[in-house]
Amino acid sequence: MIEPIQLILILFVLFALSRAYLRYEEGKIRTGEFVFWVVIWVSAIIAIIWPRTVGYLSQTFGIGRPADLILYVALILLFYLIFRAYVALDSIEEEITKIVREVAIKKGKKK
Amino acid sequence: MVRSNSDNPWSYDNIMKPFIIIPAYNEEKTLGIVIDGLRKYNYENIVVVNDCSTDNTEKIALQKGAIVLNHIINRGQGATLATGTEYALRQGADIIVHFDADGQMQAEDIVALTEPLIKKEADITLGSRFLTKKSNIPTSIRIVLLLGRIFLRTLYGVKLTDPQSGFRALSRKAAQRIEIKQDRAEHASEILIEMFKKKLVCKEVPVTIKYTDYSQQRTQHGKFHFWSGIKIATRVILKRLFRAVRQR
């Protein structure tokens, strides 16, 4: 028997998966990134449909409550993604500087 | 304008073509005097890189006969210096001097600063405030500079009396090989790290830096404030980390 909350979560995860697939099709994310997201969302589906699997996992890791395991994993993932975003932002900054530099040099003025 | 090298190959001016790069962000108060000071010593290629100033910086620079490069977006001092350096390289500069617009640096010191480059004794020269007693450095700045020195020495093995000096001259070779990627005030540390990595020969030259009330007001918000020192150090480390991640 599937509870309504499980249905909603599954629908959301499927939606997220489809987005990841579309990005991959467009070539906006690399194969590695796509695989990363597939692994994340597929494990989310497994956890939603069979919540007991999380229980087994948390026990093997020595974490008392299954929900804690999810929280830890989510937190680590978030930190990692923020770091990645920082890196991306940094390279965008560098690219902006390059453009500004070219414009400045090409339009050099002298009276 | 610069005469061509074929006119008189033995003339000292013609052998070396120095470019003076002045990064400027809202420097209308001092820029004019600084350019006049440089003109007195017959420097022909004065490049003002205007980092999106909101005052009359551009107008004054043009009036005084400098070449003006305008950043359409403010990118910070490091980026501004790199723009000027890149321009000078494309114009065939042999020597590139980094000079400040706030009137702290003295045009007369450029001769001594560029001499080791002309004689091919060094690839890069740094003006040092500590090789001479003439600079009136406030204590607060001294402390921050000391910390910066310790930071660079322990992390990167940079051994210099004044590593944070912004007054420097680069040979064409050095300018081509040193990449300034840090947009903000971290360029001083970055240039040194690059310099040591690429094994360029560096020489320190004593210079006089005058700390006026005006320059103090400006730098208190900028380069030498204690917290900006910490911020700079953090960014130097983070940038290394980011680059390592991206190159993977």
Side-chain angles (χ1 to χ4, degrees):
Chain A
M1 177 63 199
I2 282 184
E3 304 286 340
I5 180 69
Q6 285 174 305
L7 202 66
I8 291 166
L9 285 175
I10 288 168
L11 282 177
F12 172 76
V13 168
L14 286 177
F15 168 77
L17 250 178
S18 72
R19 293 294 106 172
Y21 179 69
L22 287 177
R23 298 277 124 193
Y24 179 57
E25 278 279 272
E26 287 170 21
K28 294 238 165 98
I29 56 173
R30 280 166 297 172
T31 315
E33 277 172 277
F34 179 60
V35 170
F36 169 80
W37 286 113
V38 169
V39 170
I40 296 279
W41 294 126
V42 167
S43 29
I45 289 184
I46 293 170
I48 293 163
I49 302 179
W50 301 284
R52 277 163 175 268
T53 49
V54 184
Y56 296 137
L57 261 181
S58 68
Q59 261 172 12
T60 20
F61 283 112
I63 298 167
R65 291 183 302 180
D68 284 353
L69 175 72
I70 293 172
L71 214 67
Y72 296 157
V73 172
L75 214 64
I76 290 167
L77 270 177
L78 273 176
F79 272 124
Y80 173 68
L81 289 175
I82 289 173
F83 177 71
R84 286 288 299 267
Y86 260 115
V87 174
L89 201 68
D90 201 61
S91 62
I92 289 171
E93 288 263 340
E94 254 176 41
E95 275 152 26
I96 291 174
T97 300
K98 260 188 219 161
I99 296 168
V100 171
R101 175 161 305 139
E102 277 308 311
V103 173
I105 291 173
K106 292 262 153 69
K107 288 191 169 175
K109 284 186 204 169
K110 191 167 196 248
K111 207 168 95 177
Chain B
M1 282 317 297
V2 179
R3 289 149 289 167
S4 79
N5 285 353
S6 55
D7 288 344
N8 176 4
W10 305 108
S11 156
Y12 182 75
D13 292 338
N14 285 347
I15 297 169
M16 288 291 172
K17 194 170 164 189
F19 272 68
I20 319 288
I21 312 297
I22 310 175
Y25 177 62
N26 294 343
E27 303 278 11
E28 60 178 9
K29 284 196 185 113
T30 48
L31 186 62
I33 304 162
V34 168
I35 298 175
D36 283 342
L38 290 164
R39 287 231 163 268
K40 244 187 262 167
Y41 291 86
N42 294 322
Y43 293 110
E44 284 171 351
N45 298 298
I46 300 170
V47 182
V48 172
V49 188
N50 172 21
D51 199 13
C52 207
S53 299
T54 49
D55 65 357
N56 289 317
T57 296
E58 181 189 357
K59 217 172 111 192
I60 290 167
L62 284 171
Q63 268 170 12
K64 298 285 180 187
I67 300 155
V68 178
L69 308 178
N70 286 309
H71 273 185
I72 50 173
I73 305 170
N74 180 279
R75 298 312 294 158
Q77 202 192 12
T80 312
L81 272 173
T83 298
T85 306
E86 177 65 32
Y87 173 82
L89 282 175
R90 289 190 201 175
Q91 298 292 314
D94 296 305
I95 288 176
I96 295 163
V97 178
H98 291 170
F99 204 76
D100 272 1
D102 58 10
Q104 287 188 0
M105 297 169 180
Q106 310 306 311
E108 60 185 73
D109 285 333
I110 294 178
V111 176
L113 198 68
T114 51
E115 202 184 78
L117 301 183
I118 295 167
K119 289 184 178 163
K120 304 241 182 282
E121 291 169 359
D123 302 309
I124 177 167
T125 52
L126 294 172
S128 172
R129 286 162 275 195
F130 297 108
L131 287 177
T132 167
K133 290 196 176 88
K134 277 183 279 178
S135 299
N136 57 328
I137 309 164
T139 320
S140 60
I141 292 179
R142 263 180 204 281
I143 295 168
V144 177
L145 289 176
L146 180 73
L147 292 177
R149 215 147 69 207
I150 294 169
F151 168 74
L152 279 171
R153 186 168 297 193
T154 44
L155 258 95
Y156 299 102
V158 175
K159 279 180 198 147
L160 292 167
T161 61
D162 190 5
Q164 302 303 317
S165 167
F167 196 5
R168 59 180 88 85
L170 291 84
S171 69
R172 186 177 179 79
K173 174 183 143 197
Q176 279 168 334
R177 296 180 68 181
I178 289 177
E179 265 186 289
I180 308 177
K181 281 205 167 170
Q182 309 252 24
D183 284 345
R184 313 278 159 206
E186 308 85 272
H187 61 89
S189 310
E190 190 185 29
I191 286 176
L192 297 178
I193 297 164
E194 283 275 303
M195 185 177 93
F196 276 76
K197 251 188 4 201
K198 309 223 159 124
K199 301 200 164 56
L200 298 166
V201 181
C202 171
K203 198 177 170 192
E204 285 193 294
V205 175
V207 294
T208 309
I209 301 290
K210 288 195 177 133
Y211 288 89
T212 56
D213 286 343
Y214 173 73
S215 70
Q216 270 283 73
Q217 271 170 25
R218 299 210 42 126
T219 45
Q220 281 300 321
H221 300 295
K223 293 178 266 191
F224 294 125
H225 194 271
F226 180 76
W227 285 112
S228 24
I230 301 278
K231 254 198 289 189
I232 288 169
T234 317
R235 260 189 255 138
V236 168
I237 297 170
L238 273 185
K239 192 87 175 179
R240 297 266 127 181
L241 195 64
F242 287 171
R243 218 174 289 171
V245 170
R246 237 185 299 153
Q247 277 166 1
R248 210 182 30 169

